[in-house]
Amino acid sequence: MADLPGLSRRRLLGGGAVAAGAVGIGWGASGLARREPDGDDGLDVVAFHGAHQAGIETTPPGHAAFVGFDLAPGVDRADIIGLLRIWTDDAARLTRGMPALADTEPELAARPARLTVTVGFGPDLFTAADLLERRPAWLRPLPAFPIDRLDPAYTGADLLLQVCAEEATTVAHAVRVLSKHVRSLVTVRWVQHGFRDEPKGQTMRNLMGQVDGTVNIAARSVDFDRLVWDDGSATPWLAGGTSLVLRRIAIDLDTWDELDTDGRELTVGRRVSTGAPLTGVDEFDEPDLTAVDRFGIPVIPPSSHVARARHTHDGERFLRRAYNYDDAPGPGQLSNSGLLFAAYQRDIDRQFLPVQQRLAEVDALNEWTTPIGSAVFAIPPGVAGPGEYLGQRLFES
């Protein structure tokens, strides 16, 4: 394996005093990077280390990049540990507004803009690391759904980087730094960029014009701890971590444009103007799926997205975190837009799959939306302190 520019093989593999020194320098320097925002949002910092990885319970910023990597042939457990040491050190620096080691554009690191870096492990990483017995039971590709038209260019991966910030330049710089420093160990399978505009006190809208994300789990709540963060009872190394399902959903905006307001509201089950359910007044009113009009017709159609996506019991709730995408259209197309739908939960099989299966069976919105990408990841817990690296409990416990 060739050395990376400015980095030694020993640092890459996490061996010896060189690696220990690099990590030590990273933590010490990042401690000096904290600064007062002074009214400039670009200087705001989200803490990197803690019991959980940032970027999940954190308020979603305006820009995101999801990057899926495949391990290079021959990469083994020691190589993966070395990669994770590099990502831990680089992310700790970048999220504090400091350049990573061997950062060739250090000026771009000066504006962290609430940067978060979240790392995930795909199913096949456990095979490469010879740790199949530690892979969670739910960590496998989702079953085939009749609505799916999955493109391999957006499906699966051994490793995930989720990089989010308020400024697109910050995201782009972090993705490049984190990717190029491990390029001898991985290849990029896909990069998916997303954005969201969420005025203060309001819920974001997707590119269909709909309020998106009304029903969600409140951060820093008992429900969040119970439904999102793993408690380690089934998989001890994952305590404080979670799972991620990432779905790329293409939206046919060109035919959606032909639908009038009434049609859109009956399809979704919510008012376009306010996001309120058709049986309510305010966005956060509970939808009444039993209400009927004077003719006995359900006010919220049973086939509407609200009705089909509604959890049937508390155990089907999960955290939704969506980003719009708007890419260059292909020949003959007017648009190439959609949603990067990220779902976080303790157990994919028990929480996410029942809801997704209902939507795949019947959902009026399926006429305009098509899942074209799908990937699942285990998100390890956070890094508690200096000298530790992401995923350490998986590899060393």
Side-chain angles (χ1 to χ4, degrees):
M1 178 177 61
D3 291 346
L4 301 183
L7 298 173
S8 71
R9 175 182 172 84
R10 291 183 69 195
R11 176 179 183 251
L12 183 63
L13 297 182
V18 173
V23 173
I25 290 170
W27 283 99
S30 66
L32 299 175
R34 187 171 297 280
R35 57 186 69 139
E36 294 299 324
D38 196 26
D40 186 348
D41 293 343
L43 303 182
D44 284 354
V45 170
V46 175
F48 170 75
H49 53 289
H52 314 294
Q53 289 197 65
I56 299 168
E57 199 166 10
T58 316
T59 301
H63 300 275
F66 297 87
V67 189
F69 298 89
D70 287 332
L71 297 171
V75 165
D76 59 15
R77 187 187 306 186
D79 295 322
I80 297 170
I81 291 173
L83 176 151
L84 292 170
R85 285 188 181 276
I86 290 176
W87 276 356
T88 301
D89 184 43
D90 286 349
R93 290 171 174 269
L94 291 168
T95 55
R96 298 295 295 274
M98 295 196 66
L101 294 179
D103 194 334
T104 54
E105 291 81 32
E107 298 81 7
L108 297 181
R111 297 180 63 80
R114 298 185 60 241
L115 173 68
T116 60
V117 176
T118 312
V119 173
F121 301 155
D124 290 341
L125 177 137
F126 293 80
T127 302
D130 195 23
L131 291 171
L132 272 175
E133 74 282 0
R134 296 190 179 183
R135 186 171 69 188
W138 43 255
L139 185 59
R140 62 186 182 279
L142 297 182
F145 297 110
I147 58 172
D148 288 357
R149 299 293 182 269
L150 299 185
D151 183 340
Y154 303 114
T155 300
D158 296 336
L159 281 161
L160 169 79
L161 278 178
Q162 173 192 288
V163 180
C164 303
E166 293 291 1
E167 297 184 1
T169 301
T170 301
V171 171
H173 175 66
V175 167
R176 175 159 176 75
V177 168
L178 293 162
S179 299
K180 71 180 181 179
H181 284 178
V182 297
R183 64 178 177 264
S184 63
L185 296 176
V186 295
T187 57
V188 175
R189 179 180 286 204
W190 40 257
V191 181
Q192 304 186 59
H193 292 280
F195 60 91
R196 54 185 288 149
D197 297 308
E198 196 166 10
K200 188 174 182 179
Q202 299 181 38
T203 307
M204 70 163 277
R205 287 184 183 268
N206 59 39
L207 294 179
M208 303 176 91
Q210 305 296 306
V211 171
D212 196 313
T214 298
V215 180
N216 225 338
I217 301 172
R220 292 170 292 280
S221 67
V222 173
D223 283 349
F224 206 104
D225 291 341
R226 180 171 56 88
L227 296 168
V228 180
W229 298 129
D230 197 287
D231 64 359
S233 58
T235 311
W237 69 264
L238 194 54
T242 188
S243 72
L244 166 63
V245 177
L246 179 63
R247 301 275 281 175
R248 184 181 182 91
I249 303 172
I251 300 176
D252 188 349
L253 291 178
D254 299 338
T255 56
W256 179 255
D257 287 345
E258 299 170 0
L259 201 61
D260 62 16
T261 299
D262 286 345
R264 295 182 179 197
E265 293 182 341
L266 290 170
T267 297
V268 175
R270 291 185 177 274
R271 305 288 182 198
V272 173
S273 57
T274 63
L278 298 184
T279 54
V281 176
D282 298 318
E283 177 187 346
F284 297 99
D285 288 345
E286 286 289 315
D288 182 356
L289 301 181
T290 65
V292 296
D293 64 16
R294 61 192 181 92
F295 300 107
I297 299 173
V299 178
I300 298 178
S303 62
S304 68
H305 184 71
V306 163
R308 299 300 293 175
R310 184 76 175 169
H311 58 272
T312 60
H313 58 84
D314 188 65
E316 289 183 353
R317 297 168 62 202
F318 48 85
L319 177 68
R320 295 163 165 87
R321 185 171 168 139
Y323 281 86
N324 297 306
Y325 74 83
D326 186 32
D327 295 343
Q333 292 182 312
L334 293 178
S335 62
N336 177 13
S337 305
L339 205 66
L340 304 180
F341 182 80
Y344 307 83
Q345 55 278 300
R346 181 178 292 193
D347 189 315
I348 292 172
D349 288 350
R350 295 183 179 182
Q351 294 170 257
F352 180 83
L353 273 184
V355 178
Q356 182 58 58
Q357 286 167 342
R358 285 198 299 275
L359 294 174
E361 291 166 0
V362 177
D363 179 6
L365 205 54
N366 290 343
E367 182 74 20
W368 296 274
T369 60
T370 304
I372 60 172
S374 182
V376 297
F377 301 95
I379 308 295
V383 175
E388 298 184 17
Y389 63 88
L390 287 164
Q392 184 166 345
R393 272 186 275 167
L394 167 63
F395 294 95
E396 300 185 15
S397 61

